[in-house]
Amino acid sequence: MRTVNISYQCRYISKTVFPVQLLMIASLLDVGSSQSIEDATEVRFEDFLGSEVCKECHVEQYSLWRNSTHGQAGNEPEEAFIIGRFDGEPRHFADGFVTPTRREDGRFQFIVERSGFPRQVVKVDGVVGKGHMIGGGTQSYFSLFQDGTMRLLPFDYHKSAETWFCETNNRQGWVPISEKLSMSELSEWPPNRVLGAEPTLINCQQCHGSQILTEFNEAERRFKTMYKSLSINCESCHGPGRRHVELVRAGETEQSGDIGMTPLSTLGMDESLDVCFQCHALKDVIKPGYLPGMDLEEYYSLKLPIFGENPYHPDGRVRAFAYQQNHLFSDCTISGSMTCVDCHNPHSQGYRNIRGEMLKGKFDDRQCTGCHSGKEGNLEAHTFHSSDSPGSRCTACHMPFFQHKATGDILPFARSDHTISIPRPLFDESLGLDNACSQCHRELTERQLQDRMFEWYGELKPHRPLVSGLLSVKETDRRERAAELILGQSDDPPVVAFTGLSYFILHYLKADMKMVEPEVVARLKVLCDSDDLDVRALALAALDLSLGTQAPVRKFLSVAAASLGPDKQKVRDRWALVLAYLAQAARTRGDLANAATIYQKSLNVKPNDPATLVHLGLTYAEMGNSQRAISYYQKSLDADPLNWIAWVNLGNAYRSADNPEFSEGAYARSIEINPYYAPGQFNMGNVFYGKSDYAQARHHYERAVELDPSIALAHFYLARAYLKLRLGEEALASVERAVILDPDHQNSRMMRQDLRLILGK
Amino acid sequence: MLFAIIIGIWATRSMVQLDRLFINFLEHFLNPLTCMMRRVRNILIFCFFCSAAMLQAASEADSLLRELGCGNCHNGVVSSEVVKTKAPNLSFAGVKYRPAYLFSYLQNPVRVRHNIGVARMPDFAFDVRESLALTFFLSEQRKLPDRVSPGSKAGGAARTSSEIHKIITRELQCTKCHIMAGEGSNRATDLSTAGYRLRQDWLTLYLLNPAAFEGTDAGMPRFFFEDEENGASVHGIISDAEETAASIGEYLSAMGESKLRKLAAEFLTAKKNYANITAKMGERIFLSQNCLACHRLDGAEPWFNRNGPDLSLESQRVRPQWLRDYFSETHAVRPFGYFPGSGSRMPDFDLNEHEVEILTKHFLKGNRGIDQREPERLSPYAMKKAELLLRDKLSCLGCHRLDDVGGRIGPDLSRVSKRLNGPFIDMMIQHPRELVPESIMPEIAMQPKTASLMGNFLKQVHMETTPLGYLSLIDHRPFNPKARGNLYREYCSVCHGIDGSGNGYNARYMPAVPVSHSDATLMGQRADDTLYDGIHGGGVILGKHHFMPPWGETLSPHEIRSLVAQIRQLCRCEGPAWSR
């Protein structure tokens, strides 16, 4: 009998899945007040009070915020907020249909009827988005599930296209619902992506609402999803307000300069950017539990998403899907000091210039000429367009709207290019980008446009050396040459240095190499001194991966690790994570020996990491070494005894080692901790099936498919249990689902054929 | 009141008589009126006396200001030709003064002549090196008046000391005006000091023809020669004039010998300790302090017409107590010149209490209209926020010091609340050049809320910091920032250096080294437009330090372009090829 081995979901999912869908949340929580005013060191969920409290004093700011895109970013499912058409009309798929409708009590819901599956009614518990974005605005819907998670529903609404659409799992991107689309192509059906940065589940992190925390509650044996609001509230940027409010109400701010908050207007560039990058950035989770006001870099890495399937082109423009974080590639940030709030009013999300003067709108030139004042006086001399033409707008050429390719080409999802690029028609074409000039001048070819650019401007400003290196590095197989091209110096922009280093590791380094050229090692060592945590960690991981077993490098790494100072844990977390990514990649391509080696390196950097120990155990399990797998699962459980995933995998390993008694105990423990974990139920079904207790097996299988209807094997095994219980109709229905989910599964197909004959279907 | 003031002005020289006339006028015409009118009368009488007192004080103040020569450095005050006749002509300082004495005197100027009224040489707080440089420079000034021949000197006649003493005290009756060894009247100089102050040769020349040095109006009589009527030549009054004069010179020199030895020793030590000090440095110091405002020096061209603030707005500008304290004991407000880079100082005139009071009252005329109310009280948080903004976001501290951070171009902000009036602070933040046209303080586009916060902060900030001192005129080379209309010199060189190498005098107080505009490699990577934008928008938009201010609201596009051109001259480079 087969088992289902489960690994942690979220940590590695960002390497392959683009988080194009918005996330959802569940329940509102009350506000605690046990923390004393003096205690300002710890940020807790209870310390967030919500925007209505802020309104009491900050009326003007509240008023601006209330009508802003942040203030209107999400909501409870109320009629005034909903833009999707819940009109009761079915929208047909190839294999079913969904009907957005309202209950008699007015609540919004989707009725899903998929061929072969029971009719499902999914209520809407949360709404995110209101179609604000002019490049393509959408609205997404979330529902609270029985395991306590708030899950994204696959049916989104596109405002300008006025259509329901779904994200697909086969890289078509966003596709309107039609009879050409199968429900098996939907990436979110059954709903699987949860609100909150819960590492054991696919998740959308914490951005589509305020102070989202999804945590497993041991006592209730289920998750608890907490948030303050589905809009982006004041405290999302300003941090927890409780202490501030208490100090003000107690009149203590009159006595001291402490208001219990940091004034954001005094932040430096990096700190200011981090406020926005809490959400407007692709991030990898370092550890869960982040709340505004905490050290963002302790919980998230802002550059690790580049490592692997880079969402950006070498010059930072969006290749697949991203947020506005790529303005880190812009000259305005690298050579200037541009922050988000230099152009965006953080309260109204209106537009302003660097001096804070409000502007008419997002295409107002003064966003740019506030700094680039040299162009202001004689605009036409720079634009070669009439000053009142759209072609003379700064944003038309330097911040064109590019469709994010991960969303496909059918529905608009274009976002303004925050790398503030220079139009280079031929180069842009080579990247597959629709260049800025073409957006107006469709009649001209890229060659013609390029010639015109040359005629007007002559030689264009060259890319940065590292960007040029990244564009040309594919032409060389020589590691030393590649290092010259793409390994930066300590003064290179961190995001570019990280991009180059990422590419270098993935293409020119392997585990435990016999030799790496001294010049290359020297360059890597330079990057180990970077002020940027991500770059430093990546460089350390590169040396550790390739030459970590050789004495000189080992010594260098030891010294480097000992001198990380206050950033020690943050660097080590990243360093270990990079190695774990590399190990996972090796495991995915079947290189299990290397995977085990690299996992072990990761554990050397961050010993006893429960997730990595599970992965190393899985690697040994796949190598057929159950005993070693068991030992690593045990170590994982020593570090985290409530790790229900490790318990299931331990059960599987005991089963492989012919120790059914221990196996059953492990599964039972998993279910005892988290009864909503489908693989635990499934494997427990297998135990009872093996013991010929088909009723109990049926119970667990039914629970497994209820919790996760996408496990084809669970449907098949459930069919077998039904047969043992002489429930032919139920068995046929179940095996039909197994075949729908996995058409290539021969045993399912054979069973279905036999049952159809027997039952005359 | 206006009526009273007009009358007061009309009758400036007959104050007592006017009092009587005016009171009679009021009595005759207003007495029959009602009680209310009597009150008006009383008010008018009160106002009249006030104005009369003010006029009297004003008159005294004007006289004092003229004697001190304040208007020769400050606008808004009557300028003074008087002081130029009283201050020594320095064209022949090298012939006249003993260097050791000059060196000592410059460090500690004391009253020497008692025949020049309240005029005096103020204390510029020169240190040893600065005094040394000035001494070297002044010692090079050896241009004698046309009618004086340096060769016309004779040896002293063979007379005893008592004979010479007798000549001085009885025959020439010098002690009628001079004091000498405690004998005589101290209405001119103390002859006991002449020996160590003045060169013996010069003493002889001077005694023979003082008018040639000081003009015919000088108080020193001519004992030995007198001019022909046409002034073309002189003829002797006594037969052995030159020998007698030389004897007196010898006698006086001998009197100062021991003091001179001491001064010479100090001077020698200084020369040894500071061998790098040159007369050229002294020349720059001489010009930087606008010494020509009072002294003559043939061939020298002053850097400035005026080199201090316009004092006509003083009553609007400064707080009374601060002004009173400042007159009592001046201190550095702008550490390296009113025109930044010039190094000019406000010297200490050692005013007595009466003078302080006279001047304070004079400058505070009209002060009653100033809003002296307490500013909107900021919470401690708002004060902290304002300080954070100043330290971390705004460019103000590029020029001004606040606590332990900031430049030395403008006044210290740590205690500016004690110095300036609130409305003046507000105006200065928002429109500095409208208030002080010659200031280089840039106008910074600030949100009204921020400007208000800054204004209120500065009106109440009081940090206990070490008072600013003047910057060394040796360690920092003073220059004329207004010379030749050179914008770079005026606006940029204080931080970036006159040659653009990033070493202006203010650079050492900046947390980041100012960019070297003479670095061709660096500047060759920057497009002209980038330089323009940086000047216009400030350092922050180029990712540089926020202490570099934005000049876009202050300089015209043409002026910014000309600064870019000057930077290109300094680096002798062009922007990158793609940018041309």
Side-chain angles (χ1 to χ4, degrees):
Chain A
M1 181 170 290
R2 288 175 59 186
T3 56
V4 175
N5 288 323
I6 300 296
S7 59
Y8 286 81
Q9 296 290 333
C10 77
R11 176 168 284 187
Y12 307 109
I13 212 69
S14 65
K15 302 294 98 186
T16 53
V17 177
F18 302 107
V20 293
Q21 291 285 17
L22 304 178
L23 286 204
M24 44 175 84
I25 309 186
S27 57
L28 285 168
L29 294 186
D30 56 346
V31 175
S33 58
S34 59
Q35 195 176 15
S36 68
I37 296 179
E38 290 72 28
D39 184 3
T41 55
E42 188 185 344
V43 177
R44 305 182 314 170
F45 183 80
E46 293 78 8
D47 297 332
F48 294 85
L49 306 182
S51 296
E52 295 305 313
V53 177
C54 310
K55 180 185 176 185
E56 292 174 21
C57 297
H58 305 281
V59 177
E60 182 190 344
Q61 288 82 358
Y62 176 89
S63 173
L64 288 171
W65 166 82
R66 183 67 274 175
N67 297 312
S68 71
T69 50
H70 279 166
Q72 297 288 310
N75 208 340
E76 303 305 307
E78 295 170 358
E79 183 162 4
F81 197 80
I82 300 277
I83 63 169
R85 293 184 179 170
F86 286 80
D87 52 11
E89 290 293 319
R91 270 72 177 180
H92 289 274
F93 291 94
D95 50 355
F97 56 87
V98 59
T99 306
T101 185
R102 301 182 70 172
R103 297 194 323 197
E104 286 183 0
D105 62 3
R107 292 201 59 175
F108 296 85
Q109 62 183 14
F110 294 98
I111 298 172
V112 185
E113 298 186 57
R114 183 180 185 183
S115 300
F117 288 82
R119 178 176 184 267
Q120 266 187 272
V121 177
V122 187
K123 68 181 188 307
V124 175
D125 293 310
V127 185
V128 167
K130 202 180 177 185
H132 300 293
M133 310 303 285
I134 64 166
T138 64
Q139 188 166 73
S140 299
Y141 307 92
F142 290 77
S143 188
L144 186 60
F145 277 64
Q146 58 176 302
D147 66 347
T149 59
M150 189 85 153
R151 299 193 181 197
L152 173 67
L153 302 179
F155 318 111
D156 302 275
Y157 191 78
H158 197 286
K159 185 179 180 184
S160 59
E162 298 181 339
T163 187
W164 290 97
F165 71 94
C166 300
E167 186 192 354
T168 55
N169 56 17
N170 52 12
R171 301 222 166 185
Q172 292 181 69
W174 293 356
V175 177
I177 295 174
S178 77
E179 291 178 358
K180 294 177 184 173
L181 183 66
S182 166
M183 291 190 72
S184 62
E185 294 176 278
L186 309 189
S187 62
E188 316 298 341
W189 187 259
N192 54 54
R193 189 176 301 199
V194 307
L195 213 53
E198 166 52 41
T200 62
L201 297 166
I202 300 172
N203 66 78
C204 302
Q205 300 178 356
Q206 298 172 277
C207 301
H208 300 293
S210 297
Q211 298 90 50
I212 301 167
L213 277 185
T214 299
E215 295 174 345
F216 189 76
N217 185 304
E218 184 185 355
E220 295 183 15
R221 302 168 68 205
R222 66 203 289 269
F223 288 100
K224 191 169 187 175
T225 304
M226 304 181 284
Y227 56 84
K228 289 295 175 186
S229 115
L230 289 177
S231 64
I232 305 304
N233 66 12
C234 308
E235 291 159 297
S236 296
C237 299
H238 290 279
R242 177 180 164 276
R243 188 163 175 274
H244 169 66
V245 170
E246 289 180 356
L247 286 170
V248 171
R249 286 180 178 165
E252 293 193 17
T253 55
E254 296 301 315
Q255 306 303 319
S256 74
D258 181 11
I259 62 158
M261 271 186 171
T262 302
L264 299 184
S265 60
T266 63
L267 297 184
M269 183 177 84
D270 291 338
E271 295 164 305
S272 176
L273 290 176
D274 273 358
V275 173
C276 305
F277 287 163
Q278 289 179 101
C279 290
H280 293 270
L282 295 177
K283 314 181 292 295
D284 275 8
V285 178
I286 300 294
K287 67 178 185 184
Y290 175 77
L291 284 171
M294 293 176 169
D295 180 355
L296 184 66
E297 287 195 308
E298 196 179 326
Y299 293 82
Y300 287 105
S301 162
L302 297 172
K303 297 189 189 66
L304 277 181
I306 293 171
F307 187 61
E309 197 167 350
N310 188 350
Y312 307 113
H313 290 293
D315 61 356
R317 286 183 290 178
V318 176
R319 185 178 61 79
F321 181 89
Y323 301 102
Q324 291 71 35
Q325 179 190 19
N326 64 344
H327 101 157
L328 289 176
F329 288 87
S330 74
D331 235 18
C332 301
T333 300
I334 293 172
S335 302
S337 58
M338 185 176 73
T339 65
C340 308
V341 294
D342 287 338
C343 299
H344 300 275
N345 182 312
H347 293 124
S348 69
Q349 276 88 71
Y351 293 83
R352 62 186 192 181
N353 65 13
I354 193 169
R355 296 189 289 272
E357 296 158 351
M358 290 306 297
L359 304 178
K360 285 180 294 185
K362 62 178 65 183
F363 302 117
D364 195 314
D365 285 346
R366 287 171 292 177
Q367 287 172 101
C368 306
T369 56
C371 294
H372 298 280
S373 46
K375 308 283 192 301
E376 192 172 20
N378 192 1
L379 201 57
E380 291 181 13
H382 176 66
T383 67
F384 295 94
H385 287 69
S386 167
S387 60
D388 57 355
S389 87
S392 256
R393 300 286 71 73
C394 307
T395 49
C397 296
H398 298 292
M399 297 188 78
F401 279 68
F402 289 131
Q403 177 76 5
H404 286 202
K405 298 295 184 185
T407 65
D409 295 321
I410 302 173
L411 293 169
F413 186 89
R415 293 293 180 261
S416 181
D417 176 19
H418 277 62
T419 66
I420 328 282
S421 52
I422 296 170
R424 305 169 200 267
L426 286 177
F427 172 70
D428 295 346
E429 184 188 26
S430 73
L431 295 181
L433 288 167
D434 187 14
N435 75 80
C437 311
S438 296
Q439 297 195 355
C440 292
H441 300 285
R442 292 282 172 206
E443 75 283 5
L444 298 176
T445 65
E446 275 76 11
R447 166 52 66 189
Q448 289 170 317
L449 292 167
Q450 186 73 43
D451 290 346
R452 184 64 60 86
M453 288 286 288
F454 187 78
E455 182 189 324
W456 285 347
Y457 300 103
E459 178 192 347
L460 291 180
K461 185 178 183 178
H463 287 113
R464 291 185 171 277
L466 274 187
V467 172
S468 299
L470 279 160
L471 290 166
S472 61
V473 70
K474 288 177 185 169
E475 296 163 12
T476 183
D477 293 330
R478 290 180 53 235
R479 184 165 44 236
E480 307 100 290
R481 176 62 186 148
E484 288 171 13
L485 289 171
I486 62 174
L487 288 187
Q489 303 295 317
S490 53
D491 57 349
D492 277 308
V495 71
V496 187
F498 189 93
T499 306
L501 180 55
S502 296
Y503 189 93
F504 189 82
I505 293 173
L506 293 170
H507 292 84
Y508 298 97
L509 296 180
K510 296 177 187 168
D512 294 338
M513 301 169 76
K514 287 181 181 171
M515 190 282 294
V516 174
E517 297 74 13
E519 297 81 7
V520 175
V521 174
R523 282 176 176 271
L524 291 172
K525 286 182 176 177
V526 167
L527 292 173
C528 289
D529 274 340
S530 170
D531 289 336
D532 185 89
L533 299 181
D534 292 313
V535 173
R536 203 187 322 169
L538 194 61
L540 289 166
L543 283 174
D544 196 0
L545 171 78
S546 54
L547 299 170
T549 54
Q550 297 186 14
V553 171
R554 186 78 255 152
K555 186 177 177 185
F556 173 84
L557 291 172
S558 299
V559 172
S563 50
L564 291 173
D567 294 326
K568 178 181 174 183
Q569 196 55 49
K570 287 184 271 192
V571 172
R572 290 187 81 100
D573 284 349
R574 285 163 169 74
W575 177 356
L577 201 51
V578 167
L579 291 169
Y581 285 163
L582 291 163
Q584 176 75 359
R587 189 179 147 213
T588 302
R589 65 175 179 264
D591 187 358
L592 299 178
N594 257 326
T597 300
I598 305 171
Y599 275 131
Q600 192 56 62
K601 285 175 184 283
S602 175
L603 287 168
N604 290 341
V605 178
K606 190 178 180 186
N608 303 321
D609 181 68
T612 305
L613 287 165
V614 166
H615 281 280
L616 184 53
L618 284 166
T619 306
Y620 280 112
E622 287 166 20
M623 294 166 76
N625 190 339
S626 300
Q627 289 308 323
R628 294 204 73 170
I630 287 169
S631 75
Y632 283 110
Y633 296 142
Q634 288 286 13
K635 285 181 183 174
S636 176
L637 288 166
D638 289 343
D640 178 10
L642 295 180
N643 186 341
W644 59 87
I645 296 173
W647 281 112
V648 167
N649 286 308
L650 180 64
N652 292 342
Y654 278 131
R655 176 170 287 273
S656 298
D658 290 330
N659 192 339
E661 188 180 335
F662 277 35
S663 173
E664 182 180 347
Y667 295 141
R669 179 65 184 134
S670 171
I671 292 171
E672 185 184 356
I673 296 166
N674 181 3
Y676 300 96
Y677 185 50
Q681 297 288 356
F682 170 72
N683 285 300
M684 186 56 93
N686 291 343
V687 169
F688 283 109
Y689 191 93
K691 296 199 305 191
S692 302
D693 184 347
Y694 303 118
Q696 277 299 317
R698 172 193 171 182
H699 166 74
H700 286 288
Y701 287 140
E702 284 180 342
R703 192 84 178 106
V705 299
E706 180 193 356
L707 292 168
D708 185 358
S710 68
I711 306 175
L713 209 55
H715 289 284
F716 174 63
Y717 283 11
L718 176 58
R720 292 198 315 175
Y722 283 140
L723 276 182
K724 293 290 185 184
L725 295 168
R726 299 181 182 281
L727 297 169
E729 293 288 344
E730 287 81 355
L732 178 57
S734 191
V735 79
E736 290 278 12
R737 291 170 201 142
V739 174
I740 290 170
L741 294 171
D742 186 3
D744 298 330
H745 191 251
Q746 289 304 315
N747 288 345
S748 296
R749 295 180 74 87
M750 286 169 58
M751 180 191 280
R752 182 180 69 169
Q753 189 177 355
D754 292 346
L755 284 171
R756 280 178 174 178
L757 279 172
I758 293 165
L759 297 173
K761 298 288 177 79
Chain B
M1 177 179 177
L2 183 63
F3 177 61
I5 290 173
I6 291 168
I7 293 206
I9 292 170
W10 173 69
T12 48
R13 292 181 184 276
S14 308
M15 202 64 68
V16 176
Q17 187 181 355
L18 178 73
D19 292 353
R20 198 175 301 122
L21 282 172
F22 187 72
I23 293 166
N24 288 340
F25 164 78
L26 294 172
E27 291 292 333
H28 279 91
F29 289 90
L30 298 180
N31 262 350
L33 300 181
T34 62
C35 179
M36 185 187 78
M37 290 302 286
R38 275 200 294 278
R39 279 198 209 106
V40 172
R41 179 201 66 177
N42 292 339
I43 292 170
L44 284 171
I45 290 172
F46 172 77
C47 291
F48 168 75
F49 278 115
C50 287
S51 65
M54 280 165 59
L55 285 169
Q56 196 167 6
S59 174
E60 198 175 349
D62 279 346
S63 169
L64 180 59
L65 289 166
R66 277 201 185 87
E67 291 289 311
L68 298 179
C70 304
N72 293 7
C73 288
H74 295 275
N75 279 317
V77 184
V78 60
S79 64
S80 170
E81 289 305 313
V82 175
V83 74
K84 289 188 177 179
T85 66
K86 292 185 175 178
N89 183 344
L90 298 177
S91 303
F92 44 83
V95 180
K96 178 178 177 183
Y97 297 111
R98 293 191 184 276
Y101 163 72
L102 271 181
F103 173 67
S104 170
Y105 180 77
L106 288 166
Q107 293 174 74
N108 183 26
V110 292
R111 193 172 176 82
V112 174
R113 292 178 294 158
H114 297 271
N115 58 331
I116 57 172
V118 296
R120 70 203 71 168
M121 165 74 178
D123 187 352
F124 283 80
F126 293 129
D127 66 10
V128 171
R129 290 184 301 158
E130 292 160 346
S131 302
L132 194 59
L134 266 173
T135 302
F136 288 160
F137 170 68
L138 292 174
S139 297
E140 285 184 350
Q141 309 312 311
R142 312 181 70 83
K143 188 176 185 309
L144 285 170
D146 292 341
R147 284 176 295 158
V148 176
S149 165
S152 61
K153 57 186 177 182
R159 293 189 174 98
T160 63
S161 292
S162 61
E163 287 171 337
I164 297 171
H165 182 265
K166 188 178 172 186
I167 290 172
I168 292 172
T169 56
R170 298 192 183 167
E171 293 181 18
L172 300 180
Q173 297 191 10
C174 299
T175 48
K176 288 288 184 188
C177 295
H178 294 276
I179 192 170
M180 188 172 72
E183 180 185 356
S185 172
N186 193 12
R187 290 191 293 166
T189 57
D190 183 347
L191 294 182
S192 314
T193 68
Y196 65 79
R197 289 192 298 111
L198 306 170
R199 288 177 179 272
Q200 184 180 331
D201 294 346
W202 187 87
L203 273 171
T204 305
L205 289 173
Y206 178 76
L207 286 170
L208 289 171
N209 190 3
F213 294 96
E214 296 184 344
T216 53
D217 292 337
M220 177 74 177
R222 283 152 290 184
F223 294 106
F224 303 102
F225 294 90
E226 69 180 9
D227 285 348
E228 293 282 359
E229 281 187 3
N230 61 11
S233 62
V234 292
H235 65 269
I237 297 173
I238 59 174
S239 55
D240 59 347
E242 292 191 357
E243 288 76 10
T244 304
S247 297
I248 295 172
E250 281 177 9
Y251 178 79
L252 295 178
S253 292
M255 282 185 77
E257 201 172 335
S258 65
K259 177 74 181 276
L260 183 60
R261 272 199 299 273
K262 182 170 174 289
L263 295 178
E266 290 170 359
F267 183 51
L268 187 63
T269 303
K271 282 202 290 186
K272 279 182 183 170
N273 287 346
Y274 304 108
N276 62 329
I277 301 297
T278 64
K280 189 70 186 167
M281 293 174 179
E283 181 183 12
R284 280 196 296 270
I285 294 173
F286 184 83
L287 293 169
S288 76
Q289 303 310 310
N290 206 18
C291 300
L292 291 170
C294 298
H295 295 278
R296 285 156 288 165
L297 194 150
D298 288 352
E301 286 295 325
W303 279 359
F304 324 98
N305 182 19
R306 300 286 185 275
N307 68 328
D310 185 331
L311 300 181
S312 58
L313 284 175
E314 207 61 358
S315 64
Q316 317 288 314
R317 200 164 72 101
V318 297
R319 289 178 167 267
Q321 190 56 49
W322 180 85
L323 189 62
R324 189 170 282 109
D325 294 344
Y326 186 70
F327 281 140
S328 299
E329 187 175 357
T330 61
H331 57 265
V333 175
R334 296 169 186 81
F336 206 57
Y338 180 69
F339 300 119
S342 70
S344 69
R345 297 172 178 175
M346 168 67 188
D348 189 344
F349 282 85
D350 193 23
L351 301 172
N352 61 38
E353 283 183 20
H354 178 65
E355 289 168 334
V356 167
E357 209 50 39
I358 289 289
L359 291 181
T360 305
K361 278 184 182 166
H362 172 76
F363 284 112
L364 292 180
K365 273 186 302 187
N367 165 275
R368 279 169 290 178
I370 300 300
D371 181 1
Q372 296 287 12
R373 281 177 301 178
E374 286 299 310
E376 176 194 333
R377 186 178 167 275
L378 293 181
S379 68
Y381 162 72
M383 291 291 285
K384 269 190 185 175
K385 181 178 177 183
E387 188 181 339
L388 267 177
L389 287 172
L390 281 169
R391 286 174 182 269
D392 298 341
K393 303 297 272 191
L394 299 172
S395 57
C396 312
L397 300 193
C399 295
H400 299 275
R401 185 179 79 160
L402 180 74
D403 198 8
D404 57 344
V405 180
R408 299 292 190 273
I409 296 171
D412 189 353
L413 299 182
S414 308
R415 278 177 287 191
V416 71
S417 60
K418 301 293 177 198
R419 187 169 76 89
L420 297 178
N421 285 317
F424 188 87
I425 290 176
D426 286 332
M427 280 286 287
M428 204 60 193
I429 289 172
Q430 292 173 47
H431 306 295
R433 307 258 287 196
E434 289 177 19
L435 218 52
V436 187
E438 71 273 22
S439 169
I440 67 164
M441 177 163 164
E443 188 160 331
I444 309 289
M446 256 185 238
Q447 289 296 295
K449 207 167 65 176
T450 309
S452 169
L453 175 67
M454 286 304 128
N456 279 319
F457 172 76
L458 294 177
K459 286 177 217 168
Q460 49 202 293
V461 67
H462 184 85
M463 295 175 170
E464 290 300 334
T465 53
T466 311
L468 285 179
Y470 287 114
L471 300 186
S472 165
L473 295 160
I474 299 295
D475 294 337
H476 309 281
R477 177 181 162 167
F479 58 93
N480 180 4
K482 297 282 188 185
R484 300 186 295 277
N486 184 328
L487 288 177
Y488 189 89
R489 206 177 166 89
E490 185 171 3
Y491 290 95
C492 313
S493 60
V494 285
C495 290
H496 294 279
I498 291 178
D499 60 357
S501 57
N503 64 347
Y505 78 86
N506 198 47
R508 70 178 63 179
Y509 305 103
M510 294 295 97
V513 179
V515 166
S516 169
H517 291 148
S518 57
D519 183 338
T521 307
L522 180 67
M523 301 313 291
Q525 295 168 5
R526 295 193 185 170
D528 284 0
D529 272 5
T530 306
L531 296 177
Y532 182 100
D533 296 341
I535 297 168
H536 188 283
V540 72
I541 71 154
L542 297 185
K544 306 299 176 191
H545 204 278
H546 57 275
F547 281 1
M548 156 74 188
W551 295 99
E553 303 290 324
T554 308
L555 302 175
S556 69
H558 174 73
E559 288 173 320
I560 297 178
R561 288 275 172 228
S562 82
L563 279 174
V564 172
Q566 282 185 272
I567 291 171
R568 287 295 173 217
Q569 285 175 355
L570 290 170
C571 71
R572 296 178 183 173
C573 68
E574 292 182 288
W578 59 263
S579 70
R580 291 174 209 156

